[in-house]
Amino acid sequence: MGRRQTLNGELVAVGHAWVEPGYCRARFCREWGKLEARARSDQLGLWSDESPVRPSAWRKQHKAQ
């Protein structure tokens, strides 16, 4: 049987998701971190932007008043 894939892992691999180490502590998070590092080095998805904004920072900046 091959490697089990998840939607979250695939999103990280193509640069459409960010791994939050403070929240992702399961065994598979290490693999997701490697996928994110590869997407960053290949400048895929959100990593093609010169200065991507962490989701938590974006939410803070756009908080409804």
Side-chain angles (χ1 to χ4, degrees):
M1 183 177 271
R3 181 178 72 121
R4 184 175 154 191
Q5 294 180 336
T6 63
L7 177 57
N8 291 352
E10 291 301 311
L11 289 171
V12 169
V14 296
H16 292 299
W18 209 299
V19 179
E20 292 285 353
Y23 294 100
C24 193
R25 295 188 181 135
R27 195 178 317 181
F28 54 79
C29 295
R30 183 179 300 220
E31 178 63 27
W32 288 359
K34 291 176 186 175
L35 294 172
E36 181 182 307
R38 189 173 310 132
R40 282 178 184 246
S41 69
D42 293 345
Q43 296 182 327
L44 301 175
L46 62 96
W47 309 117
S48 65
D49 190 319
E50 286 184 23
S51 53
V53 178
R54 290 191 85 74
S56 57
W58 189 92
R59 286 190 300 273
K60 191 173 184 179
Q61 291 171 356
H62 295 87
K63 196 174 209 177
Q65 301 187 354

